[in-house]
C-alpha cells in the first residue's frame, strides 16, 4: 500500500482513468467494466487499460473483483480524495479566487488527554513544524460538532490535506495523519488533525495550534469555538 500521501504519486493518465471510472458510476458503487470497454473509453489499448487498473488497485484508489465477463470496480475513499484534489486545484485556477470556505462551530469537551502524548512525539512535532509552519502546543482542543455540521465535515474529509507520515518510535509505531489549516475564533492559526487510526467519529474534531487554546481563549467544557478552514491546498511534498 502506498499510504496517505498517494496523491502526489499519481500520474496524470491515472487521474483521467479515475475520472472515466467515475463517469461510469464507480464512485457511487462498484460497477462491472471490462478492459475492452475501458480501453474504448480511454482511447488506449486493452493492455494499457488493464495496466491502469492494476496500478490504481495497488495504490488503493480502486477495488477490483475479477469475473469471467469483466471486473467489478469501485473507487475507494482515497480515490475520491485524489479526484477532489484535482477538482479543487482546477477550481482555484479557473475561478481565480478562493475555494469553498468551510466554517464549523463546535462545543469544547475534555478528552482522555491522549493528544498531549501524541503531539509531544518528535516524529509528529518535526513534521508539523516543517509542513504547517508552527511548533505545536503538546495537546489538542477537542470539539464536538452538531448534526447540522456533519455534511461539511464530510466535505472537509474529501479536501486535499497536508500529510503527516507515520513513523516508528523506540517502543511502538505511530500512524500517519491528515491536517487541514484553520483559523480558530478568527484569531489563532492552527490545524484540524485527523489520525489515520482513530476511534473518533466525524462529530469529533481535534485542533492543534502553536499555543494553549483553552488558556488563550479562557475556554471551559461546553463553550463554543468557531473554526474556519483555510483554502484547500495540495498535499505537502
Amino acid at each position: 500500500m502506498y499510504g496517505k500521501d498517494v496523491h502526489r504519486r499519481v500520474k496524470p493518465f491515472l487521474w483521467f482513468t479515475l475520472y472515466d471510472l467515475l463517469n461510469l458510476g464507480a464512485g457511487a458503487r462498484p460497477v462491472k467494466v471490462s478492459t475492452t470497454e475501458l480501453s474504448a473509453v480511454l482511447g488506449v489499448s486493452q493492455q494499457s487499460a488493464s495496466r491502469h487498473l492494476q496500478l490504481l488497485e495497488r495504490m488503493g484508489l480502486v477495488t477490483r473483483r475479477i469475473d469471467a465477463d469483466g471486473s467489478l470496480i469501485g473507487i475507494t475513499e482515497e480515490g475520491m480524495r485524489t479526484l477532489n484534489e484535482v477538482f479543487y486545484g482546477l477550481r482555484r485556477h479557473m475561478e481565480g479566487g478562493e475555494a469553498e470556505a468551510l466554517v464549523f462551530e463546535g462545543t469544547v469537551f475534555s478528552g482522555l488527554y491522549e493528544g498531549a502524548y501524541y503531539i509531544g512525539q518528535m516524529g509528529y512535532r518535526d513534521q508539523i513544524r516543517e509542513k504547517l509552519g508552527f511548533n505545536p502546543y503538546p495537546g489538542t482542543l477537542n470539539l464536538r460538532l452538531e448534526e447540522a455540521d456533519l455534511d461539511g465535515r464530510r466535505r472537509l474529509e474529501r479536501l486535499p490535506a497536508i500529510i503527516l507520515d507515520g513513523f516508528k518510535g523506540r517502543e511502538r509505531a505511530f500512524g500517519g495523519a491528515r491536517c487541514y489549516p484553520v483559523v480558530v475564533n478568527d484569531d489563532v492559526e492552527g490545524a484540524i488533525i485527523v489520525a489515520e487510526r482513530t476511534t473518533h467519529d466525524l462529530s469529533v474534531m481535534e485542533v492543534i495550534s502553536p499555543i494553549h487554546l483553552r488558556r488563550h481563549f479562557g475556554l471551559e467544557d461546553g463553550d463554543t469555538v468557531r473554526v474556519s478552514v483555510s483554502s484547500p491546498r495540495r498535499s505537502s511534498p
Side-chain angles (χ1 to χ4, degrees), residues 97-149:
E98 296 298 312
E100 176 186 16
L102 288 174
V103 179
F104 301 95
E105 288 193 351
T107 303
V108 176
F109 73 96
S110 296
L112 300 176
Y113 302 99
E114 293 179 335
Y117 171 72
Y118 287 104
I119 302 303
Q121 299 297 318
M122 292 306 298
Y124 290 129
R125 296 178 66 83
D126 289 346
Q127 291 187 73
I128 291 170
R129 280 196 296 265
E130 175 188 353
K131 299 178 180 182
L132 289 166
F134 63 83
N135 187 41
Y137 173 81
T140 61
L141 178 67
N142 299 319
L143 302 176
R144 193 174 301 282
L145 303 179
E146 298 294 332
E147 183 72 26
D149 276 326

Side-chain angles (χ1 to χ4, degrees), residues 177-202:
R178 303 190 308 279
C179 294
Y180 303 90
V182 299
V183 178
V184 182
N185 280 347
D186 301 317
D187 180 39
V188 178
E189 293 186 353
I192 296 168
I193 185 166
V194 183
E196 187 177 295
R197 299 191 292 264
T198 180
T199 58
H200 295 315
D201 60 27
L202 291 179

Side-chain angles (χ1 to χ4, degrees), residues 32 57 63-67 70-74:
K32 182 157 289 188
E57 185 179 20
T63 58
R64 184 169 59 141
R65 191 177 77 231
I66 300 176
D67 292 330
S71 298
L72 198 63
I73 300 171

Side-chain angles (χ1 to χ4, degrees), residues 33-84:
V33 182
S34 68
T35 52
T36 300
E37 179 184 4
L38 185 59
S39 67
V41 172
L42 295 174
V44 300
S45 68
Q46 186 175 353
Q47 290 79 7
S48 292
S50 178
R51 184 170 63 89
H52 291 196
L53 289 177
Q54 291 171 6
L55 289 171
L56 290 171
E57 185 179 20
R58 283 173 53 196
M59 290 181 172
L61 303 181
V62 303
T63 58
R64 184 169 59 141
R65 191 177 77 231
I66 300 176
D67 292 330
D69 56 345
S71 298
L72 198 63
I73 300 171
I75 300 176
T76 65
E77 179 182 346
E78 194 63 30
M80 293 301 296
R81 188 174 292 117
T82 297
L83 287 169
N84 268 281

